[in-house]
Amino acid sequence: MKHLKVYKIYEADEKPVENKSDTPIRSERLQSQSQKEYKEGPELQKKSGPVPTMVFSDVVGSSKMWSDDPVTMIGQLEAHHKLVDRLASKNKGWIVKTIGDAFMVYFEPSEYSLFNAIKFSKELILNEKAYGLRVGVCEGHMDEKTYSIQKVELRDFFGNAVNASSRMESKVSEVGGTIAFCSLKPIDNRMGKIQTLGKVEKVDMSKYDLRGAKVEKAYKMKVK
């Protein structure tokens, strides 16, 4: 599978096919095999049953790193992109998009989507040697939209669960080596399995401003 170069969008294993008509086509370079195989739309997701999980990851202190030593950062970021790609595929997730060194990774609806997302996050933190990472995770219903820009169809996800996962990373995780996670559905009966991945600490959400995202309960796992 091809991997991201710095400032480029995530590429899949197939090259885009030339579009000889004016009809927008789905960009092959923007779709992984998992994205191609996933068929369930937002209406089906809203029915009872398993829901997806979203992960946001970010490199701690990357702005200063870019200012201090951009050449080293370029090489390290290439390796980081490959690591995220490999571990996402291994844990049944796929990369929605990147913004520099930040990643948005989607885990499709499943009984184990939250567990898989946390496991991916833990493995990412433990295997990343160059950076300190903070990660936010949230399980819940998401609205999906495919939209066309410059004759390329892009797929994205929206809603409270997506916003919450982003806020978990930026507001609750706070320091490197930490996974902050939540679910918009009951989680108590699954906490035992999650705790096999590490020690879980309950978060006092009254201390955090999630900028409109609504979360009743949240948790942290310190990985390193």
Side-chain angles (χ1 to χ4, degrees), residues 36-181:
K36 296 172 189 176
E37 292 172 352
Y38 180 65
K39 302 298 183 182
E40 187 171 348
E43 294 305 316
L44 288 177
Q45 289 182 21
K46 290 179 181 179
K47 295 180 180 179
S48 61
V51 294
T53 298
M54 192 67 76
V55 171
F56 280 83
S57 70
D58 199 11
V59 172
V60 177
S62 61
S63 296
K64 187 176 186 304
M65 294 179 197
W66 278 111
S67 298
D68 291 347
D69 192 352
V71 174
T72 297
M73 276 294 286
I74 289 173
Q76 290 177 342
L77 190 59
E78 173 72 10
H80 180 62
H81 282 218
K82 292 178 180 179
L83 178 64
V84 177
D85 180 18
R86 177 174 64 82
L87 293 178
S89 298
K90 173 187 173 184
N91 289 286
K92 302 180 180 179
W94 54 265
I95 299 168
V96 179
K97 55 188 172 184
T98 70
I99 302 175
D101 50 63
F103 278 81
M104 178 179 179
V105 185
Y106 176 86
F107 292 78
E108 65 184 61
S110 141
E111 179 183 355
Y112 302 107
S113 70
L114 179 59
F115 178 84
N116 290 339
I118 297 173
K119 183 172 177 287
F120 156 77
S121 302
K122 179 180 178 179
E123 291 179 357
L124 180 61
I125 291 172
L126 289 177
N127 285 279
E128 177 50 69
K129 306 303 182 184
Y131 300 132
L133 301 175
R134 62 185 184 217
V135 183
V137 180
C138 187
E139 174 193 57
H141 295 300
M142 301 171 195
D143 291 316
E144 175 190 345
K145 182 177 180 181
T146 300
Y147 52 96
S148 296
I149 294 180
Q150 297 180 334
K151 297 186 177 182
V152 173
E153 289 191 359
L154 305 176
R155 186 178 175 198
D156 209 346
F157 298 87
F158 308 89
N160 188 47
V162 178
N163 294 335
S165 57
S166 176
R167 305 296 185 267
M168 287 290 104
E169 178 268 309
S170 63
K171 301 293 183 179
V172 183
S173 184
E174 297 180 305
V175 297
T178 303
I179 304 166
F181 66 95

